[in-house]
Amino acid sequence: MPMPSTAPIPQNSRDFELLCMEVLRRFWSLPSLDLYAKSGEEQNGVDILDLGGGSPLHAAQCKLKAADKSLLPSEIEAEVEKAKTFELRIGKYAILTTGKVSGQSQRKILEINQLHKSLGLFEVELFTWERLSRLLQAYPEIFEQFFGNGLTPNRAVRS
């Protein structure tokens, strides 16, 4: 059964974080990715972290936005600045959002990556909802886990 070109956006931050974790586990081939810290704890811009001890260290931030909104360049910059204060050295950092892609956001990612490369800092990757939806088409088992046949979000079980 073909999936819709765009998956339905999760209704809350927790469901979105769980979905992002599963997609990144597959995309990055890192089964040891897990949600980082508990609600209310200081996270320094990190919602998802690779606990496998590999190098480079992979981390991610999830930003639930309205479907018609884009992640602003200033929001990207703010999350990257927080991630720089993370207690461990990050090598790859993803920002995942339910928002739309924008040229301004893409240029900000490029600008940050060029600067970070010259300074020996982490690479930043942007996953908009459109990109996440394409990945969900590539990973139908994750789509099924979260949306099932009726396209109703299911709670994922942390593993």
Side-chain angles (χ1 to χ4, degrees):
M1 158 203 267
M3 284 183 261
S5 59
T6 302
I9 292 176
Q11 297 299 306
N12 61 65
S13 295
R14 181 69 169 176
D15 286 346
F16 182 54
E17 289 173 357
L18 289 166
L19 175 66
C20 291
M21 179 184 69
E22 292 301 331
V23 169
L24 287 177
R25 280 179 176 172
R26 277 293 298 279
F27 185 75
W28 282 342
S29 298
L30 291 172
S32 54
L33 281 177
D34 206 347
L35 297 181
Y36 177 69
K38 65 181 182 203
S39 182
E41 280 186 289
E42 182 60 45
Q43 293 177 291
N44 299 88
V46 174
D47 290 327
I48 299 170
L49 184 65
D50 179 21
L51 302 178
S55 182
L57 179 62
H58 287 65
Q61 171 63 222
C62 305
K63 303 302 277 181
L64 189 65
K65 303 277 284 181
D68 62 334
K69 302 292 182 193
S70 295
L71 199 59
L72 298 173
S74 59
E75 292 174 289
I76 292 169
E77 197 162 33
E79 292 305 327
V80 168
E81 288 303 312
K82 287 183 209 171
K84 286 180 184 176
T85 68
F86 192 71
E87 53 269 16
L88 301 171
R89 184 175 172 84
I90 296 172
K92 180 102 170 173
Y93 184 68
I95 300 174
L96 302 98
T97 180
T98 51
K100 295 169 64 171
V101 68
S102 77
Q104 290 179 333
S105 295
Q106 290 174 320
R107 284 189 298 278
K108 178 52 74 174
I109 294 290
L110 178 58
E111 174 189 308
I112 289 168
N113 282 333
Q114 288 175 331
L115 177 62
H116 279 201
K117 193 170 196 172
S118 71
L119 298 173
L121 297 174
F122 55 85
E123 178 186 356
V124 180
E125 191 168 8
L126 179 63
F127 291 80
T128 60
W129 190 245
E130 181 181 320
R131 184 176 181 196
L132 286 167
S133 291
R134 285 193 311 267
L135 287 171
L136 285 169
Q137 289 180 13
Y139 311 139
E141 69 284 357
I142 297 174
F143 184 94
E144 178 67 27
Q145 176 184 356
F146 283 86
F147 303 106
N149 292 329
L151 298 181
T152 309
N154 297 323
R155 297 262 187 235
V157 178
R158 285 176 74 174
S159 54

